[in-house]
Amino acid sequence: MSESCIFCRIIAGEIPGDFVYEDGEMVAFRDIHPVASTHILLVPREHIGNVQSLRPEHEALVGRMVLRARALAEQEGIAEGGYRLVVNSGPDGGQVVPHLHLHLVGGRRLSEDIG
Ligand code: 5GP
Ligand code: ZN
């Protein structure tokens, strides 16, 4: 855990989070500034900076994060209408919190452009 990392502190319970899922390797909580009615962040418990910091042993974790996002989309009732999964990586990718996370966004018609 990184003391200076806001997501590590949420995972550790030092800062409150509106959790919707947790298991031994990841947590999911609602984004504090949602851009749609569903905006959930899926976050590995391990402090991984971003996609560039991933190592081969993280391959299955990343797969399980995507499948968990799908399950949460179903739970939120947005699976049929569709949703967006986003990983911002690095400053030019729009990453603000330097702890890898997957955004699950849905509940309205999102714009077709991605940047
Ligand atoms: P990024 O731009 O790094 O991909 O996204 C970071 C996300 O984290 C943003 O959507 C932002 O609203 C969210 N966020 C930042 N600080 C907090 C916080 O303290 N709690 C929660 N729940 N979300 C946060
Ligand atoms: Zn962290």
Side-chain angles (χ1 to χ4, degrees), residues 5-67:
C5 171
I6 190 139
F7 285 178
C8 281
R9 297 185 67 194
I10 290 172
I11 291 165
E14 293 175 13
I15 296 173
D18 184 0
F19 288 88
V20 293
Y21 178 79
E22 45 188 314
D23 65 22
E25 64 178 356
M26 75 180 88
V27 304
F29 50 84
R30 295 191 191 277
D31 197 290
I32 203 165
H33 293 127
V35 298
S37 54
T38 292
H39 188 169
I40 291 169
L41 304 172
L42 293 98
V43 187
R45 288 185 184 276
E46 181 183 347
H47 181 87
I48 301 166
N50 61 29
V51 174
Q52 288 306 114
S53 311
L54 286 168
R55 299 187 302 273
E57 59 264 35
H58 295 124
E59 188 175 10
L61 166 68
V62 173
R64 286 191 288 267
M65 286 171 66
V66 172
L67 291 177

Side-chain angles (χ1 to χ4, degrees), residues 55-113:
R55 299 187 302 273
E57 59 264 35
H58 295 124
E59 188 175 10
L61 166 68
V62 173
R64 286 191 288 267
M65 286 171 66
V66 172
L67 291 177
R68 180 54 54 189
R70 182 179 75 180
L72 288 170
E74 289 165 359
Q75 198 174 299
E76 292 283 304
I78 60 170
E80 200 174 323
Y83 49 86
R84 183 169 292 166
L85 302 181
V86 175
V87 179
N88 298 324
S89 191
D92 283 358
Q95 184 180 17
V96 174
V97 177
H99 181 138
L100 181 74
H101 51 283
L102 175 64
H103 296 253
L104 165 63
V105 179
R108 66 174 172 84
R109 182 62 62 98
L110 300 169
S111 75
E112 290 172 12
D113 64 77

